[in-house]
Amino acid sequence: AKSGLQHWWHQRVSAVAMVGLVSWMVVLLFSLVEADYQTAMNILAHPVNATVVVLFVAVGLWHASLGLQVVLEDYVANEGVRLIAILAVKMAASVTAILAILSVLKVAL
């Protein structure tokens, strides 16, 4: 009965974190508009920018998977299908996060 409160808080905390991360990412993307490939790689390789991109990916996918879980819990009636769908969403988010973070780290390091 109390498990929903923690999920709700995680959604709110991740949403607040995304406000700052999205703002930074918008500024970062606008700085890359006229950049060539090497300049873009140098900007992404900067430790602050790489950290923000990693956080953006991790928090964004976490927030998305939390939201999709709520949608699946609310609208999928069959418990087995619902469980498989939730697990699939979490696995897809995890794999995507790992690949994206490793890609950023490859550029940054």
Side-chain angles (χ1 to χ4, degrees):
K2 296 180 183 179
S3 65
L5 181 62
Q6 185 178 10
H7 189 99
W8 185 85
W9 270 110
H10 287 172
Q11 279 188 302
R12 296 326 175 261
V13 168
S14 62
V16 169
M18 286 303 291
V19 171
L21 293 169
V22 168
S23 300
W24 188 285
M25 288 298 294
V26 167
V27 170
L28 182 63
L29 289 174
F30 275 119
S31 73
L32 296 173
V33 168
E34 296 292 324
D36 61 356
Y37 177 79
Q38 191 57 47
T39 303
M41 290 296 114
N42 291 338
I43 290 171
L44 182 59
H46 190 279
V48 173
N49 291 334
T51 301
V52 171
V53 172
V54 166
L55 287 172
F56 175 77
V57 167
V59 174
L61 287 168
W62 181 42
H63 182 74
S65 68
L66 290 170
L68 287 170
Q69 180 178 341
V70 170
V71 170
L72 292 168
E73 289 171 348
D74 288 348
Y75 294 106
V76 177
N78 185 297
E79 190 172 339
V81 173
R82 181 174 55 236
L83 179 61
I84 290 170
I86 290 171
L87 289 173
V89 164
K90 289 185 180 202
M91 289 296 294
S94 297
V95 169
T96 303
I98 289 168
L99 290 174
I101 290 168
L102 288 175
S103 298
V104 172
L105 291 177
K106 182 177 179 183
V107 170
L109 303 175

